[in-house]
Structures are given as structure tokens and as C-alpha cells.
Amino acid sequence: MNDISALPVCIIGAGSSGVTTAKALLERGVAFDCYEIGSDIGGMWRYQNDNGMSSAYRSLHIDTSRRNLGYSDYPIPDHYPDFLSHFEVIKYLSDYADHFKVRPHVRFNTKVESVSQDGDGAWRVTLHDRESKRYRAVIVANGHLWDPRWARFNGEFQGESLHAHDYKTPEPFLGKNVLVVGIGNSAVDIAVDVCKLANNTYISTRRSAWIMPKYIMGLPSDRWSSFLGSKLKLPTRMVRTTMKHLMYLAVGDQSRFGVPRPKHAIWREHATLSQELLPYVGHGWIKVKSNVKELIGEKVCFEDGSAAEVDTIIYATGYKTTFPFIDQRVFKVDDGKADLYRRMAVPHAPGLYFAGLVQPIGPTIPLVEIQGQWLARVLAGHVKLPTRGVMYQEIMQHKRALEKRYVGSARYTLEVDFKEYAAQMRSDMSSGRARV
């Protein structure tokens, strides 16, 4: 077949990004195949997913409240709690896929081994059974929170080490001394989970974090921020600064509990949400330590001069963003940095796109829904992409904005502001032409 435009589109992954992108392609009449390595819908939200990539633990609940979480045309029913468990998220995603008839278009238990570009510009996707098919475009939607990033410290630890990716339940840590490295959402959740059974539980952090409660005055915190941003039209920096003051009214000074106040402004990081961390630290169930200085046998020495005997270290230190089925000469995320126009399109490899490769300030699922709509319009010919030069100009502008806004860390290189980013995509779709 010489006419590349007549070829279908390939979607890799059937999690929250893959299913909404598939739904958008269906609505635009764009033919596609969707491959999912696991046996069902859900991706990272399927606890003990047989695709081997889920980092979900038994007690995991989503950090976005129900009203802000769902897809725009399929609201989450009111009988669900404010903050859904992973079981409830999976039920919602499965219902969404069935309602919009996405499931019949997903080929389950199918691993993509390689994605490469033929000489004529078409994309060749090779599956685990060596089947090979050609596509006019490939949308990678298999997630980026599965390949563990480990912190490296001086010395050698003789106890047990594991990454948060492999943490599931607290029972294996009964009566042990446990150190959790990191103070992001997963680190805090795991520390709170473990401390109820462990002998001692420690959290080690380099620069601490702003701890935002999930509820302020009885309402989910993100409903306050949505009100400030959407109703009062305040810019994100002002919204987050205002949220810091509301947070102070709700829980007081976090350093009073034993969690140091960060030196950086709250708008310069992705806040850690937890209703439980501060009380557990205040009660002594969790002890906060500075960065690890050295490992000596089963002793961990910290930069503040203290030390602790530790049986297990759990590294909640994030994830590398890797796509083993794509040749790194075609595309790679280098030190957390992804050169993607509108955070989706690879300028030098036309037809290669990514969905869900973002860390938003704001809810993720509604944002990947807009990404799916944008991709469907591009692939249906309803939105025209700019030249490669303009794409790189937009990428550089985005990088400069990140450098100014966020604390320097690989954690923030995929960050996007929901309001700004959604407005860009909607403007593209409205005008039919994507710009800088």
C-alpha cells in the first residue's frame, strides 16, 4: 500500500489516556488498532495488573476529588466517595470504555515489541508474536510511571531495599524499622500505611515539601483551587499562594508537627497531598529525617548528623520515562526532558505522538481527554500542525517557562499547568491550526 494516509492509526496502551484517545478517534471516524499488554482496561490503576507495569498499592486512593476527576461527558456518579480508591477508578474507566464502545477495539494480552519508521514514512509496529503491521501514525499511551528511578547514596546497605513500584501492603514490614526515601504522594501514603505495623518508620527528604490536606473546612482542597481558578479567574501562581494560606488556616504551621517548611515557594513544586501525614508525624508514628548521607551496613546516617538502624529502605524516588519499544535515536526522554510539540508530537518524526506524558497542576484524566480530542482532530485532518521550526520554537518556550516556575528536578520536566495547556489545545481545535 503506497498511500500512507489510507493506513489506520495505532494506539499503544488502554489506560486512562488510551481509552479516551480511542473514543475520540471513533467519534472522528479515524480507523485504529489499540494494543494492551495486560488482560483488561485500566493501566496503572489496575491493582496487581497482569501487565506487570502498575505501581498501585492496596491502600491507593486518587488525589483528585470526584467532581474534578472524570471525563467531561461521563461524570463520575455521586454515590462514589470524594476520593476514589483504585478499585473505583478501575470500575469507572471500565464503564467509560464500555459506554463508548471502546473495548471491542482493544486487543488485549498483546505486547508491542518495536515501533520503527519505514522509508516511505509509515510506522511499522511489531508485536510479541512477530506480527507486523503498518500505520500512518502511532500514539504511545502506555504510561510513564512504571520504570523505577533509584536514589544513589554513599556506602552499602545490608538490609532489604525495594522501590515504591513494588510496594503493595504493609504486612511484610510488621515489627521492622522502615525508611521511606522521598516525600511525594506515594512516599507519604506508604509511610502512613507502614507505620501502623512497623516498629519505627522514617521519611528522608532533601528539601521537604508543602503538605496540602485533602480537605479544607470539610471540602476537598481541589474544589477550593477550582473555585479560585475557574470562578474567580485567578492565575495559577496566585491560586496556589492562596491555597497555602487556606492550608495554614486548616492545619497550621507544618513545621510545628515536625515536617520542615520548604525554602521554595509553594507554586514552585507539585504539592504533596495528605490528610494523615502531619498527625502521624505529630504523634511520633513517623519521624522525618534529612537527606541520606551514608549507608553503613544496616545503619543509615543522615545529613543532619543523626543515624538510625533500619531493616528496610523503600525508595519512593520516582520513575524514569522510558519506552523500550522505540529506538532511542527516534525518541527518548533525556534526563526527564521530552522534546514534544504540545507535549504530544515528535517534530522530527511525523506521525509519532504521545498521550498522557504529562504531570499536570490540576486533574490528569480531564486533561488527557482533551489531548485525545486534539490528536483525533489532527489525525482526521481538522487541525493543521505547524512547521518543524515552529514546533521547536514552542518546545523551547515551554522549557524556559518550566525553568522559571519549578524547582529544578526531573520530577517537574513533564509538568504542565492545566488551565494554560488546556487553553492552548482548545485554541488549536477551535481555529483548526496549531501554533506556537
Side-chain angles (χ1 to χ4, degrees):
M1 183 182 295
N2 295 321
D3 185 5
I4 297 174
S5 64
L7 294 172
V9 171
C10 172
I11 301 173
I12 301 174
S16 60
S17 300
V19 294
T20 195
T21 300
K23 180 246 187 186
L25 293 180
L26 281 172
E27 291 177 338
R28 292 279 155 178
V30 177
F32 69 92
D33 295 323
C34 180
Y35 300 115
E36 165 57 45
I37 189 173
S39 60
D40 209 340
I41 297 289
M44 66 163 286
W45 286 105
R46 184 167 293 281
Y47 178 58
Q48 296 182 325
N49 195 331
D50 58 8
N51 67 9
M53 297 169 67
S54 175
S55 301
Y57 36 92
R58 176 63 180 78
S59 62
L60 177 64
H61 281 70
I62 202 160
D63 291 324
T64 303
S65 68
R66 183 187 69 246
R67 290 190 184 181
N68 293 324
L69 175 65
Y71 299 111
S72 63
D73 54 1
Y74 197 73
I76 298 175
D78 288 342
H79 68 263
Y80 278 79
D82 286 334
F83 295 97
L84 278 64
S85 70
H86 55 81
F87 296 113
E88 290 157 336
V89 173
I90 280 296
K91 178 68 166 61
Y92 172 70
L93 292 177
S94 295
D95 290 348
Y96 174 87
D98 291 337
H99 179 78
F100 291 107
K101 299 179 173 55
V102 168
R103 191 182 296 273
H105 297 271
V106 181
R107 184 168 160 184
F108 295 104
N109 299 309
T110 303
K111 181 182 179 181
V112 172
E113 291 288 354
S114 69
V115 172
S116 59
Q117 197 165 24
D118 287 344
D120 61 355
W123 289 91
R124 184 171 297 278
V125 175
T126 302
L127 307 178
H128 68 281
D129 59 2
R130 298 187 180 180
E131 179 185 354
S132 177
K133 295 188 68 173
R134 281 163 49 89
Y135 296 95
R136 63 185 176 101
V138 173
I139 301 171
V140 180
N142 69 319
H144 60 280
L145 301 176
W146 62 272
D147 189 0
R149 180 192 295 117
W150 295 76
R152 288 186 172 86
F153 301 118
N154 293 327
E156 184 176 345
F157 182 62
Q158 294 179 356
E160 176 191 23
S161 297
L162 71 150
H163 194 275
H165 174 77
D166 297 309
Y167 175 84
K168 300 303 175 188
T169 65
E171 282 77 14
F173 309 99
L174 175 66
K176 294 185 177 181
N177 297 323
V178 178
L179 168 66
V180 180
V181 177
I183 199 168
N185 290 320
S186 295
V188 167
D189 282 354
I190 291 170
V192 169
D193 212 18
V194 163
C195 77
K196 299 162 189 174
L197 296 181
N199 184 37
N200 286 292
T201 302
Y202 306 94
I203 277 186
S204 169
T205 171
R206 286 178 297 170
R207 54 174 174 257
S208 194
W210 293 100
I211 309 301
M212 179 74 66
K214 284 191 170 183
Y215 288 94
I216 294 177
M217 289 178 268
L219 292 176
S221 298
D222 63 353
R223 286 176 60 179
W224 288 98
S225 57
S226 293
F227 172 77
L228 294 169
S230 301
K231 300 297 183 182
L232 300 187
K233 307 297 183 185
L234 298 181
T236 299
R237 180 170 172 174
M238 189 176 295
V239 168
R240 302 198 72 198
T241 301
T242 304
M243 290 299 295
K244 185 181 80 168
H245 296 304
L246 289 175
M247 176 178 70
Y248 190 89
L249 289 174
V251 299
D253 184 350
Q254 67 182 49
S255 65
R256 173 64 183 77
F257 293 84
V259 180
R261 286 166 57 92
K263 295 180 180 179
H264 52 269
I266 193 170
W267 52 268
R268 297 200 68 207
E269 71 160 6
H270 202 104
T272 297
L273 271 74
S274 177
Q275 197 72 22
E276 299 173 294
L277 178 67
L278 297 182
Y280 274 93
V281 172
H283 283 80
W285 286 80
I286 299 171
K287 302 171 183 67
V288 179
K289 295 289 188 178
S290 61
N291 195 37
V292 174
K293 180 180 180 180
E294 188 177 13
L295 305 173
I296 306 174
E298 292 187 353
K299 184 170 74 173
V300 179
C301 301
F302 302 96
E303 290 181 351
D304 62 6
S306 66
E309 295 292 331
V310 173
D311 299 301
T312 303
I313 300 178
I314 302 175
Y315 289 84
T317 46
Y319 296 86
K320 296 178 288 185
T321 306
T322 55
F323 303 96
F325 46 82
I326 300 177
D327 191 317
Q328 292 193 1
R329 292 170 294 181
V330 177
F331 177 80
K332 68 175 180 177
V333 177
D334 189 13
D335 191 27
K337 298 176 178 65
D339 289 339
L340 294 171
Y341 174 73
R342 288 288 191 261
R343 324 291 72 80
M344 289 179 278
V346 182
H348 66 270
L352 181 60
Y353 302 96
F354 290 79
L357 191 53
V358 289
Q359 289 285 112
I361 296 295
T364 300
I365 286 178
L367 194 64
V368 297
E369 178 188 20
I370 302 171
Q371 282 191 325
Q373 294 166 353
W374 188 93
L375 288 165
R377 283 166 172 79
V378 167
L379 293 168
H382 301 154
V383 171
K384 181 177 176 58
L385 294 180
T387 63
R388 185 183 301 184
V390 171
M391 287 187 181
Y392 280 119
Q393 183 182 350
E394 188 263 3
I395 290 169
M396 291 308 299
Q397 287 185 1
H398 179 68
K399 284 184 177 179
R400 286 193 291 268
L402 288 178
E403 289 168 358
K404 289 180 180 179
R405 183 176 296 187
Y406 300 111
V407 177
S409 168
R411 184 184 179 197
Y412 300 107
T413 52
L414 300 179
E415 206 82 8
V416 293
D417 182 301
F418 185 102
K419 284 201 307 182
E420 294 176 3
Y421 184 40
Q424 289 173 337
M425 291 187 287
R426 285 171 175 149
S427 176
D428 294 343
M429 291 187 285
S430 176
S431 67
R433 184 177 294 273
R435 296 180 173 85
V436 173

